[in-house]
Amino acid sequence: MNGIDEKPLFNPELLRQIDWSVRKSSFKDGISPENPGKNLQLRPLMMDDYDQGFLNLLGQLTSVGEVTAAAFQKRFLAMKHCPNTYYVVVLEDTNKQQVIGSATLVIEQKFIHSTGCRGRIEDVVVSEDYRGQQLGKLLVETLTLLGKEVGCYKMSLECKEDNVRFYKCFGYTPDGQYFMVQRFSD
Ligand SMILES: CC(C)(COP(=O)(O)OP(=O)(O)OC[C@H]1O[C@@H](n2cnc3c(N)ncnc32)[C@H](O)[C@@H]1OP(=O)(O)O)[C@@H](O)C(=O)NCCC(=O)NCCS
């Protein structure tokens, strides 16, 4: 897919501007967005990531379906052309040139809260072989702080009960409301 649009989904500078010192979770071995671990890089999603296993990774989270390269490009560009809305971050194993972790921050613009913005964290996944190395934590903490940085008045996410303990360490708490859902397809 070289030459079409390899630019990142959003400005990578934003990841460097995050104030890591105000994080609520703790990390061993100096893990941070600049230093995710040996041969690992944390960066925005790129168009090329179609060929780097991004969709296979998402397949460890949910049903991905048949997504052609053209469909991927179209969706990537549609997201990119919604400024300040979609922040998909990935972790790449630079030795294997494979995407091994990802999470998404979506910014919802509101009329309420003085035309405020709410952030939602979605699609958090770390490839099975890389779990237990603080990478899931790194992805969620990075996006939580990014949400703060871009001015969200509130951040939220939906998760299974099994993952509640995982999300509590970043400051998320169950708010007692129901999460309602209706599916029209898989
Ligand atoms: C959930 C997931 C992203 C965690 O990624 P990971 O890289 O293995 O997690 P980390 O190594 O960063 O774990 C950090 C901490 O959370 C804990 N933890 C990890 N997964 C957990 C879970 N499902 N429930 C509770 N605690 C969990 C770890 O024990 C660790 O605790 P510690 O810091 O006290 O040692 C990963 O298991 C995954 O991709 N699962 C499948 C997809 C999924 O369920 N996504 C979440 C959708 S809401």
Side-chain angles (χ1 to χ4, degrees):
M1 220 181 282
N2 284 339
I4 295 167
D5 185 355
E6 295 178 7
K7 293 196 184 100
L9 184 63
F10 63 91
N11 182 357
E13 204 48 45
L14 281 172
L15 295 178
R16 291 191 268 277
Q17 286 166 6
I18 285 171
D19 183 359
W20 194 239
S21 70
V22 299
R23 69 187 182 276
K24 292 197 171 150
S25 59
S26 57
F27 287 81
K28 287 174 258 178
D29 308 322
I31 299 285
S32 70
E34 294 80 37
N35 177 31
K38 194 161 179 244
N39 302 322
L40 294 175
Q41 187 192 10
L42 180 73
R43 57 167 175 78
L45 180 72
M46 312 270 280
M47 182 80 98
D48 249 11
D49 288 330
Y50 181 84
D51 298 320
Q52 314 236 19
F54 176 62
L55 296 179
N56 289 341
L57 173 73
L58 292 185
Q60 294 185 32
L61 179 70
T62 190
S63 153
V64 174
E66 292 294 313
V67 180
T68 62
F72 179 83
Q73 287 168 16
K74 196 173 166 194
R75 179 50 45 90
F76 182 97
L77 291 175
M79 287 181 169
K80 197 174 160 93
H81 292 148
C82 294
N84 313 321
T85 305
Y86 293 102
Y87 300 91
V88 183
V89 290
V90 299
L91 279 160
E92 181 189 343
D93 181 327
T94 51
N95 259 1
K96 298 183 181 167
Q97 298 191 319
Q98 285 292 300
V99 172
I100 58 90
S102 182
T104 297
L105 166 65
V106 183
I107 307 290
E108 220 178 84
Q109 298 188 50
K110 302 276 197 184
F111 288 108
I112 57 174
H113 295 285
S114 311
T115 64
C117 288
R118 169 185 182 166
R120 290 179 190 271
I121 292 191
E122 304 262 22
D123 302 340
V124 179
V125 59
V126 172
S127 187
E128 276 168 10
D129 293 347
Y130 292 80
R131 288 182 194 163
Q133 299 177 39
Q134 306 181 86
L135 300 177
K137 229 161 65 169
L138 179 66
L139 289 165
V140 175
E141 191 64 89
T142 298
L143 290 188
T144 301
L145 296 176
L146 181 58
K148 193 172 182 194
E149 189 73 36
V150 300
C152 292
Y153 68 87
K154 169 167 122 178
M155 296 283 293
S156 65
L157 55 87
E158 292 138 19
C159 73
K160 297 193 183 111
E161 200 172 344
D162 285 355
N163 287 327
V164 167
R165 190 172 63 83
F166 174 67
Y167 288 113
K168 276 187 173 172
C169 73
F170 312 101
Y172 295 92
T173 52
D175 69 356
Q177 293 188 42
Y178 288 106
F179 168 51
M180 311 282 282
V181 66
Q182 180 177 173
R183 279 188 188 278
F184 295 114
S185 66
D186 277 347

